[in-house]
Structures are given as C-alpha cells and as structure tokens.
Amino acid sequence: MNIRRKSLIVAMLALFVSLNLYLFAHTLLKSVIASKFAVADSCDEKSAPSSPKENPNRMLFVGCGGFLD
C-alpha cells in the first residue's frame, strides 16, 4: 500500500474513534443530567400533602399523593 492510502485509513480510523468518544460522552452527560432532574423532581414525605385529596370526578391519579384538578 502506498502512503496516501495508509494515511487515509488512519484518518478514517481517527474520525471513527473521535465520533464514538463524542457519542459516549454525550450519552453519559445526558444520563447524568436526567438523573439530577429526576432526583430533584422526586417526591419525599415533606412535599406530599398531609391529608389525602378528595377526587370527586375520579380523574387520573398523579404521584406525590395528588390528583389532577
């Protein structure tokens, strides 16, 4: 193989590796950010209402002990 073909193969491999590293980092950061928001939005006992809400229309139940109004 000549030098031009070898350099093209090396460049393609470098591009492939850099693209895979970028996608890995993007996926990792996306999951870390999503988990931070999920923890922030999760319910704890302090945020839950102390008395159960009445649901006269029997609408969809929503987390944290509430109903859609």
Side-chain angles (χ1 to χ4, degrees):
M1 288 199 277
N2 59 13
I3 293 176
R4 187 178 220 177
R5 180 178 254 176
K6 287 181 182 179
S7 63
L8 182 62
I9 290 172
V10 169
M12 286 175 37
L13 286 174
L15 181 63
F16 178 73
V17 168
S18 63
L19 180 62
N20 280 330
L21 286 174
Y22 168 76
L23 291 175
F24 173 75
H26 185 269
T27 305
L28 184 67
L29 288 174
K30 188 176 175 183
S31 67
V32 167
I33 290 172
S35 68
K36 283 184 181 179
F37 282 124
V39 169
D41 291 339
S42 66
C43 303
D44 56 357
E45 292 182 18
K46 293 178 183 176
S47 66
S50 58
S51 63
K53 255 181 135 175
E54 292 290 326
N55 187 13
N57 299 325
R58 297 188 188 267
M59 295 191 65
L60 178 65
F61 180 78
V62 179
C64 294
F67 292 94
L68 287 177
D69 293 326

